[in-house]
């Protein structure tokens, strides 16, 4: 494969230089960007509008980023990353280091005219401004220039080309500021499949589509996950992204947690293997693309999350909100939650050796502070960050808080605002200071430099100027090292035409689709009903979408929709309008959705607000729940609530009608077979319906077409369950939030146990090397 000489930033470490002449070649990109390639050195990219000049040192070319007409160590690509980072950190002002410590709020390209993440262009919404969609917004210019921010979280982009052009605009803008520090742009996972998109072999797309993390785990194939990381990193770099806010390697030991879908499941060994593979794939450049110690043109820094494991949320309630602030350890199993980090992401097989960044979760790891016995959120906790992560496990990369931990919480537990758990009564400035004293380096979701400077002054007052300056420089070195590793100081610019040809190219789309096929689990195949014959007469009832309320309190309307893309389905089967005409019914449903574990209406009626999270569709009464919660405490917004129990309270899933659809369809079909296809992000109770269906396919988010390829026999299922499927809600209530593999599992009418590592193929139960390696005996 031919290496493009300017589509990706080049990173050249220590090189052996002969006496040969350094051959130079110069290319021009749109926007006044010049790319210089040299036969004996790094490829350089710079904007003619930034004021940066090129220095010629004995025939070698270097960028004069601080425009002082001399070569500083940090500008010298022949030196090591650490040498350059330490030199630059020593030259930065306190204000410049404080800016490095900021990590922006979510930025879409272009910015929306209103709502979350809104932005303006010349004081106007983009459509009224006359500016291009890849222009910097007013807000972006402010935080880049006035707040010295250099770490930007990118969400939605109009197109790959727009992303590349925006990257060039941003990099040219910051190149002319101060020391010329480039922007380190990042992304949350962005390769999830769009269900109704048709897959055509050899066709491209906007980005390759792969299984969600729990789907990747269901392949039980670390090599596949490493390949995903490699492909995703290439596409990230073509979009101008050099840090991945992933993987999420929390152990999914609490089956009700709504973020379990983003994990690699509940098993420590599988999760560690997947974490290692994922990070190796993202960070490692191979062959001609490698430039130094595994880093190179295809490398993306991986920020693993969430230290020290956000999975054991009490009752399944999530830490984005006050009602879910506590992670609990009734099984005294804190150690297992560290393994995906310590045995996975921090022990890579590749040359980069370790993930370069870590994000602690919002939660208070209740009772786990062995030093100060403080129940504060992980990012505020000195024991968890300095003593454990950095001390015992030797991690010297970036520690960045999750988004909004230093902000003020909302007036009620269900309001989505700041998440300062354990520090609710402190000021925003005091929270910033505590993050630094705990040993972290960066503030996720904060565009404002002022509280960081206030924290610096608090440190000066307590420890003296020299001590606090040294503390700031220590974080600066870590933050700068990741920018140097990505090669951005040499060339942060992209060729938009190259970006268009790389992101979502046919080969990557093909690989992603094949991975989706490998992530679909066959749980039941009574009388070998599957695969179905071509042009089988099939009835597909509509799917119910319940009314939901998002994080900002906005409610959607319930509706009925086509269960899948019927145009695609019609290429596989003969679709009929009713059960009478059908030979087989295909019922598509989602896992039960019963809310967040907190109900404001219960609070308004005089209750505590705490209610069950159910994994079944039908009515559920929590008679086996704890009488006393393991943790509680809301000193500002709910000081009267000292027990978060929901014992004997009842709830019914908001999508209960999906179960009714299945049962009604079975009744209409009589003795004719019904196949159930379930999309889930959590374990669920199968006892409500399993006997009413001949076949069950389970997936964690794939394209409709992948399901049809399995149903029709074009592909054989090979995936395995990455989590247990509980027998009932009693076992869910009695399991311990921090312990894997501790539930009684569902046993179907064929005698199969829906346990971790179970799955079927056309021949029966899968018993292969993957099962023998990972199954718990």
């Amino acid at each position: 494969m031919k290496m493009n000489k300017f589509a990706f930033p080049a990173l050249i470490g220590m090189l052996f230089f002969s006496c040969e002449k350094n051959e130079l070649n110069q290319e021009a990109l749109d926007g006044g960007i010049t790319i210089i390639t040299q036969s004996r050195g790094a490829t350089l990219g710079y904007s003619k509008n930034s004021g940066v000049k090129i220095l010629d040192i004995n025939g070698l070319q270097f960028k004069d980023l601080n425009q002082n007409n001399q070569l500083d160590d940090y500008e010298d690509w022949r030196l090591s990353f650490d040498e350059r980072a330490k030199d630059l950190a020593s030259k930065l002002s306190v204000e410049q280091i404080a800016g490095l410590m900021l990590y922006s709020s979510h930025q879409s390209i272009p910015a929306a005219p209103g709502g979350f993440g809104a932005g303006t262009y010349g004081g106007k919404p983009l459509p009224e401004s006359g500016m291009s969609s890849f222009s910097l917004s007013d807000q972006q210019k402010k935080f880049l220039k006035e707040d010295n921010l250099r770490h930007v979280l990118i969400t939605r982009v109009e197109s790959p080309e727009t992303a590349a052009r925006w990257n060039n605009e941003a990099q040219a803008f910051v190149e002319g500021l101060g020391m010329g520090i480039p922007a380190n742009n990042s992304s949350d996972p962005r390769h999830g499949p769009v269900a109704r998109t048709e897959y055509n072999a050899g066709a491209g797309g906007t980005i390759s589509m792969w299984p969600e993390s729990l789907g990747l785990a269901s392949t039980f194939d670390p090599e596949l996950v490493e390949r995903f990381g490699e492909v995703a990193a290439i596409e990230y770099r073509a979009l101008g992204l050099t840090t991945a806010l992933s993987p999420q390697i929390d152990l999914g030991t609490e089956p009700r947690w709504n973020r379990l879908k983003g994990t690699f499941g509940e098993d420590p060994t599988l999760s560690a293997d997947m974490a290692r593979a994922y990070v190796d794939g993202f960070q490692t450049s191979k062959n001609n693309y490698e430039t130094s110690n595994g880093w190179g043109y295809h490398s993306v820094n991986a920020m693993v999350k969430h230290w020290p494991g956000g999975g054991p949320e009490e009752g399944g309630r999530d830490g984005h909100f006050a009602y879910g602030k506590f992670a609990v350890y009734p099984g005294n199993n804190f150690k297992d939650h560290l393994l995906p980090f310590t045995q996975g992401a921090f022990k890579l097989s590749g040359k980069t050796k370790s993930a370069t960044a870590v994000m602690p979760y919002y939660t208070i790891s209740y009772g786990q502070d062995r030093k100060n016995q403080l129940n504060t959120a992980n990012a505020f906790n000195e024991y968890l960050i300095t003593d454990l992560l950095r001390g015992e496990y030797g991690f010297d990369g970036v520690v960045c808080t999750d988004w909004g931990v230093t902000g003020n919480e909302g007036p009620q537990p269900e309001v989505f605002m700041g998440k300062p758990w354990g520090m609710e009564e402190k000021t925003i400035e005091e929270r910033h200071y505590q993050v630094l004293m705990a040993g972290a380096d960066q503030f996720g979701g904060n565009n404002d430099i002022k509280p960081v400077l206030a924290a610096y002054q608090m440190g000066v007052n307590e420890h003296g100027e020299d001590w606090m300056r040294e503390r700031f420089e220590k974080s600066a070195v870590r933050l700068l090292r990741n920018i140097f590793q990505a090669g951005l100081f040499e060339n942060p610019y992209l060729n938009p035409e190259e970006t268009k040809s790389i992101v979502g190219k046919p080969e990557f789309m093909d690989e992603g689709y094949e991975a989706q096929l490998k992530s679909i689990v066959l749980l039941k195949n009574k009388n070998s009903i599957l695969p179905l014959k071509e042009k089988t007469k099939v009835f597909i009832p509509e799917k119910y979408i319940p009314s939901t309320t998002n994080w900002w309190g906005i409610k959607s309307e319930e509706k009925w929709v086509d269960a899948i893309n019927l145009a695609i389905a019609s290429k596989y089967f003969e679709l009929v309008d009713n059960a009478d005409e059908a030979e087989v019914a295909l019922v598509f449903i989602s896992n039960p959705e019963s809310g967040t574990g907190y109900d404001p209406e219960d609070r308004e009626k005089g209750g505590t607000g705490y209610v069950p999270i159910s994994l079944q569709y039908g009515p559920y009464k929590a008679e086996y729940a704890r009488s006393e919660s393991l943790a509680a405490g809301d000193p500002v917004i709910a000081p009267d609530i000292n027990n978060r129990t929901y014992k004997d309270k009842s709830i019914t899933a908001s999508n209960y009608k999906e179960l009714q659809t299945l049962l009604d369809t079975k009744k209409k079909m009589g003795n004719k077979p019904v196949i159930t296809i379930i999309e889930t992000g959590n374990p669920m109770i199968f006892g409500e319906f399993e006997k009413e269906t001949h076949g069950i396919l389970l997936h964690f988010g794939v394209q409709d077409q992948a399901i049809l390829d399995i149903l029709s026999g074009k592909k054989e299922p090979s995936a395995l369950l990455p989590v247990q499927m509980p027998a009932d809600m009693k076992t869910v209530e009695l399991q311990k939030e921090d312990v894997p593999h501790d539930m009684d599992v569902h046993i179907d009418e064929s005698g199969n146990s829906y346990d971790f590592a179970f799955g079927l193929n056309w021949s029966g139960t899968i018993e292969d090397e993957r099962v023998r390696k990972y199954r718990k005996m």
Side-chain angles (χ1 to χ4, degrees):
M1 185 162 51
K2 183 180 179 181
M3 184 189 303
N4 181 273
K5 60 188 174 186
F6 54 75
F8 299 102
L11 174 59
I12 305 292
M14 297 299 291
L15 301 174
F16 172 79
F17 294 105
S18 69
C19 296
E20 295 177 5
K21 180 181 178 181
N22 187 27
E23 299 291 340
L24 304 178
N25 184 52
Q26 187 166 295
E27 302 272 356
L29 299 180
D30 291 343
I33 295 166
T34 299
I35 307 295
I36 298 174
T37 56
Q38 44 188 334
S39 61
R40 292 172 51 206
T43 296
L44 307 179
Y46 69 103
S47 170
K48 292 184 176 180
N49 301 320
S50 69
V52 167
K53 305 297 182 185
I54 298 298
L55 300 174
D56 187 307
I57 308 295
N58 298 323
L60 301 178
Q61 309 293 293
F62 302 86
K63 291 168 68 174
D64 184 14
L65 288 163
N66 60 2
Q67 302 179 45
N68 66 351
N69 296 314
Q70 62 185 40
L71 181 64
D72 296 280
D73 282 353
Y74 86 92
E75 297 165 334
D76 190 344
W77 40 259
R78 297 169 298 186
L79 301 179
S80 70
F81 303 135
D82 273 340
E83 288 175 297
R84 299 176 71 186
K86 289 175 181 177
D87 177 65
L88 180 52
S90 71
K91 290 176 165 64
L92 296 178
S93 68
V94 168
E95 289 77 12
Q96 289 169 321
I97 296 176
L100 278 179
M101 291 177 168
L102 303 176
Y103 219 126
S104 83
S105 58
H106 300 69
Q107 303 294 308
S108 61
I109 303 171
F116 182 71
T120 57
Y121 296 80
K124 301 176 181 178
L126 181 64
E128 301 173 17
S129 70
M131 299 172 70
S132 63
S133 58
F134 54 80
S135 301
L136 298 180
S137 70
D138 299 332
Q139 292 74 21
Q140 291 163 354
K141 289 179 180 178
K142 177 188 179 301
F143 65 57
L144 290 171
K145 185 175 183 178
E146 297 180 23
D147 297 291
N148 298 316
L149 184 149
R150 290 297 181 274
H151 293 80
V152 184
L153 173 57
I154 305 298
T155 55
R156 179 190 60 82
V157 297
E158 181 182 72
S159 68
E161 181 182 6
T162 297
R165 293 186 181 279
W166 181 91
N167 171 81
N168 290 354
E169 292 277 321
Q171 300 293 5
F173 184 78
V174 297
E175 190 174 70
L177 302 176
M179 295 291 184
I181 300 173
N184 181 0
N185 302 322
S186 66
S187 175
D188 281 309
R190 60 193 313 121
H191 282 81
V194 179
R196 301 195 176 214
T197 302
E198 184 170 11
Y199 166 73
N200 292 296
T206 56
I207 197 166
S208 62
M209 293 187 285
W210 296 69
E212 303 285 357
S213 291
L214 199 56
L216 289 172
S218 73
T219 69
F220 281 62
D221 185 353
E223 289 185 6
L224 182 150
V225 173
E226 183 172 353
R227 178 56 185 162
F228 161 69
E230 292 170 357
V231 170
I234 293 169
E235 292 185 309
Y236 271 38
R237 291 303 298 258
L239 292 167
L241 304 170
T242 44
T243 293
L245 303 189
S246 60
Q248 183 190 333
I249 57 177
D250 311 283
L251 281 187
T253 51
E254 168 44 60
R256 295 161 291 190
W257 186 35
N258 64 12
R259 297 196 69 183
L260 194 150
K261 185 177 182 179
T263 75
F264 291 126
E266 65 182 300
D267 186 71
T269 303
L270 179 63
S271 294
D273 288 350
M274 293 301 196
R276 184 185 312 108
Y278 189 110
V279 177
D280 263 331
F282 264 89
Q283 291 190 171
T284 305
S285 292
K286 298 179 178 179
N287 302 321
N288 291 336
Y289 293 97
E290 180 187 357
T291 54
S292 179
N293 298 321
W295 295 97
Y297 303 97
H298 288 172
S299 296
V300 171
N301 292 287
M303 183 182 290
V304 295
K305 56 189 185 184
H306 304 88
W307 179 263
E313 304 264 14
E314 184 165 18
R317 300 181 297 270
D318 181 59
H320 278 84
F321 297 86
Y323 55 68
K325 67 174 70 172
F326 295 107
V328 295
Y329 301 86
N332 194 29
N333 196 38
F334 179 76
K335 59 178 175 47
D336 267 8
H337 292 263
L338 304 182
L339 295 177
F341 298 90
T342 61
Q343 300 303 309
F346 299 164
K347 284 190 176 181
L348 302 183
S349 301
K351 296 179 183 178
T352 66
K353 297 183 179 179
S354 172
T356 59
V358 166
M359 182 189 297
Y361 202 41
Y362 295 117
T363 45
I364 295 169
S365 297
Y366 195 73
Q368 300 308 309
D369 184 341
R370 303 291 189 247
K371 181 178 184 179
N372 301 310
Q373 288 74 52
L374 295 175
N375 282 312
T376 57
N378 301 315
F380 300 125
N381 196 284
E382 181 187 13
Y383 169 75
L384 295 176
I385 304 300
T386 294
D387 295 80
L388 192 64
L389 176 61
R390 296 205 187 281
E392 184 170 343
Y393 294 110
F395 181 77
D396 192 38
V398 170
V399 176
C400 176
T401 75
D402 212 330
W403 265 233
V405 302
T406 55
N408 292 324
E409 64 181 326
Q412 290 88 35
E414 76 277 10
V415 176
F416 184 73
M417 287 180 58
K419 304 148 190 68
W421 314 141
M423 299 281 290
E424 294 93 340
E425 296 178 286
K426 301 296 184 180
T427 66
I428 290 175
E429 293 78 11
E430 288 170 329
R431 293 171 197 146
H432 280 77
Y433 182 54
Q434 182 56 38
V435 166
L436 293 174
M437 294 303 98
D441 306 293
Q442 200 167 28
F443 305 95
N446 181 13
N447 302 353
D448 184 5
I449 197 173
K450 292 189 290 297
V452 186
L453 295 177
Y456 180 84
Q457 192 57 50
M458 291 177 188
V460 171
N461 294 342
E462 182 173 356
H463 299 286
E465 183 83 41
D466 290 344
W467 188 94
M468 197 59 190
R469 170 73 200 195
E470 182 181 352
R471 172 66 189 86
F472 253 43
E473 283 193 28
K474 186 178 294 186
S475 286
V477 170
R478 294 170 182 147
L479 292 160
L480 290 167
R481 184 193 300 135
N482 288 0
I483 305 177
F484 280 113
Q485 286 168 168
L488 294 175
F489 280 88
E490 277 61 70
N491 178 24
Y493 297 103
L494 302 170
N495 182 338
E497 292 302 313
E498 292 290 334
T499 292
K500 287 166 60 177
S501 69
I502 291 168
V503 180
K505 71 179 182 178
E507 299 96 303
F508 294 166
M509 300 297 291
D510 293 347
E511 289 187 77
Y513 187 75
E514 287 297 316
Q516 291 180 52
L517 291 166
K518 293 178 180 179
S519 74
I520 299 172
V521 186
L522 177 61
L523 290 178
K524 185 177 182 180
N525 194 16
K526 185 177 180 181
N527 300 327
S528 298
I529 183 63
L530 295 173
L532 300 177
K533 295 179 180 178
E534 186 177 0
K535 295 304 178 183
T536 297
K537 292 182 179 180
V538 165
F539 171 57
I540 304 177
E542 287 188 322
K543 189 178 189 298
Y544 175 70
I545 307 297
S547 171
T548 58
T549 302
N550 68 14
W551 283 2
W552 296 275
I554 300 172
K555 198 168 187 176
S556 67
E557 296 296 323
E558 67 175 9
K559 57 185 176 181
W560 290 87
V561 300
D562 289 339
I564 60 170
N565 187 323
L566 297 180
I568 298 176
S570 67
K571 298 178 181 180
Y572 291 78
F573 308 115
E574 181 180 342
L575 304 185
V576 297
D577 294 330
N578 57 72
D580 291 338
E581 300 177 50
E583 298 174 88
V584 175
L586 303 178
V587 181
F588 291 78
I589 60 177
S590 300
N591 62 285
E593 300 172 13
S594 65
T596 63
Y598 187 86
D599 183 0
E601 292 185 5
D602 179 82
R603 180 69 165 144
E604 291 169 5
K605 294 175 181 177
T608 61
Y610 291 91
V611 295
I613 298 175
S614 176
L615 301 181
Q616 68 184 40
Y617 294 100
Y620 167 64
K621 183 178 180 180
E623 56 184 309
Y624 295 101
R626 297 184 183 106
S627 298
E628 294 283 336
S629 63
L630 297 177
D634 293 290
V636 176
I637 59 175
D640 57 317
I641 305 300
N642 297 309
N643 183 5
R644 295 181 168 200
T645 183
Y646 50 85
K647 184 175 174 60
D648 293 327
K649 291 184 179 180
S650 298
I651 198 166
T652 301
S654 62
N655 60 335
Y656 176 59
K657 290 182 180 179
E658 295 204 71
L659 174 62
Q660 291 180 313
T661 297
L662 173 57
L663 299 179
D664 289 347
T665 302
K666 172 58 179 173
K667 185 176 181 180
K668 292 175 183 177
M669 291 292 291
N671 293 325
K672 293 184 291 186
V674 175
I675 310 298
T676 306
I677 300 95
I678 307 168
E679 178 177 0
T680 188
N682 291 87
M684 56 185 288
I685 308 298
F686 282 82
E688 294 177 295
F689 63 88
E690 175 263 315
K691 291 182 179 179
E692 306 301 317
T693 186
H694 282 70
I696 300 175
L697 281 181
L698 189 77
H699 69 95
F700 308 96
V702 296
Q703 290 172 258
D704 293 342
Q705 192 168 346
I707 299 166
L708 294 165
D709 276 345
I710 297 291
L711 289 170
S712 65
K714 287 189 174 182
K715 296 290 183 178
E716 184 172 12
S718 61
L720 307 167
L721 285 176
V723 289
Q724 293 182 312
M725 294 295 160
D728 50 39
M729 281 303 297
K730 178 181 178 181
T731 193
V732 173
E733 294 290 4
L734 297 181
Q735 60 86 33
K736 296 175 180 178
E737 286 93 335
D738 59 325
V739 177
H741 313 300
D742 65 340
M743 293 190 292
D744 296 329
V745 299
H746 178 77
I747 301 175
D748 71 13
E749 61 177 331
S750 300
N752 290 319
S753 297
Y754 291 3
D755 207 342
F756 174 78
F758 169 74
L760 301 172
N761 56 24
W762 301 144
S763 301
T765 302
I766 298 172
E767 295 286 351
D768 59 15
E769 185 58 35
R770 299 172 303 158
V771 177
R772 289 187 285 273
K773 179 176 181 179
Y774 291 109
R775 182 172 55 194
K776 305 304 167 185
M777 305 302 292

